[in-house]
Amino acid sequence: MDDRHQYIGNPAYGVIVDFLRGRRADWDGRWLRDIRAWDDIRLERDHHYIQWLFPLNTESEAVFAPMLREFEVEELRNDPALREQMIFSLCRMLAFYGFVLRTEDDQIAVLPSERQRERLGVWMTPENHNYLRISRILGSLRLAGLDEYAGAFLEALERLYKTPEGQAAIDGVAMWYWRGRASK
């Protein structure tokens, strides 16, 4: 039976949690560790991994993807190992966007990386599909109880938005949406 059909209608089937624990591949046979090792070109071109790295409890409007069940949300919020996996995925995506995560004395910050100028040219263009990915990342972090990480990423996006480049590429609606996803 196709793995996708096992999931549909079966509330006990926790495919996302199993994926994040490294117990299974996604529906395309890709493992979490392998996706995080992809280069930036592959991350940009593929549109089916982000739902697995940053799951939500609502349906994806872009692709067919698994949704978190309520028991999985509880697992994400309460299991430090699962939260750590999400933080590792966040670090990879931050690198993709030209940022780096810094933690010091329980303070979390998202700062520009050495590659930020190069990376901004890839994703920071008006109505870029990466804006939806960023929305998903922020919402998923909040859902998992990683509010401080969502807040740090939002602060970095806010700083970027205030630059002339940010004003030219990121419209106010995107910022409004990101603020909502990071604060819900």
Side-chain angles (χ1 to χ4, degrees):
M1 176 186 298
D2 181 344
D3 193 24
R4 297 171 204 233
H5 297 304
Q6 277 184 308
Y7 175 71
I8 297 170
N10 186 346
Y13 193 65
V15 293
I16 297 172
V17 167
D18 282 349
F19 173 78
L20 292 173
R21 289 190 194 285
R23 293 181 186 159
R24 61 159 295 128
D26 71 4
W27 289 333
D28 294 317
R30 301 160 324 176
W31 293 84
L32 176 61
R33 67 182 175 276
D34 297 330
I35 293 170
R36 286 199 300 238
W38 288 356
D39 64 19
D40 291 335
I41 294 169
R42 187 161 181 195
L43 288 174
E44 174 62 20
R45 290 182 180 161
D46 192 289
H47 298 279
H48 297 276
Y49 68 90
I50 200 75
Q51 296 82 4
W52 290 85
L53 269 58
F54 298 98
L56 295 172
N57 59 353
T58 55
E59 288 187 40
S60 170
E61 294 179 22
V63 299
F64 181 70
M67 272 185 345
L68 283 171
R69 304 293 187 176
E70 192 57 39
F71 75 93
E72 290 179 294
V73 173
E74 290 304 312
E75 282 187 70
L76 280 176
R77 289 182 179 158
N78 296 314
D79 187 329
L82 288 173
R83 291 162 49 99
E84 184 177 67
Q85 290 304 317
M86 290 191 69
I87 294 167
F88 289 152
S89 293
L90 173 64
C91 289
R92 177 61 188 103
M93 292 309 296
L94 288 174
F96 174 80
Y97 293 123
F99 295 102
V100 63
L101 181 71
R102 295 278 186 250
T103 57
E104 188 174 316
D105 298 327
D106 292 332
Q107 296 294 315
I108 298 165
V110 173
L111 304 169
S113 73
E114 294 175 2
R115 298 181 51 222
Q116 187 175 59
R117 183 76 56 230
E118 165 198 342
R119 298 308 308 153
L120 292 181
V122 173
W123 72 268
M124 201 173 74
T125 59
E127 299 180 28
N128 189 290
H129 69 271
N130 280 290
Y131 292 1
L132 295 173
R133 289 178 176 174
I134 291 170
S135 296
R136 172 174 280 276
I137 292 167
L138 292 169
S140 182
L141 292 171
R142 290 279 307 180
L143 192 62
L146 296 167
D147 302 359
E148 61 276 13
Y149 291 89
F153 189 19
L154 179 64
E155 286 177 25
L157 293 167
E158 293 273 12
R159 285 190 304 273
L160 186 59
Y161 178 62
K162 292 176 183 173
T163 67
E165 296 160 310
Q167 288 287 313
I170 303 170
D171 67 33
V173 173
M175 276 310 311
W176 173 83
Y177 198 76
W178 292 342
R179 289 176 190 128
R181 294 299 272 177
S183 65
K184 285 185 179 177

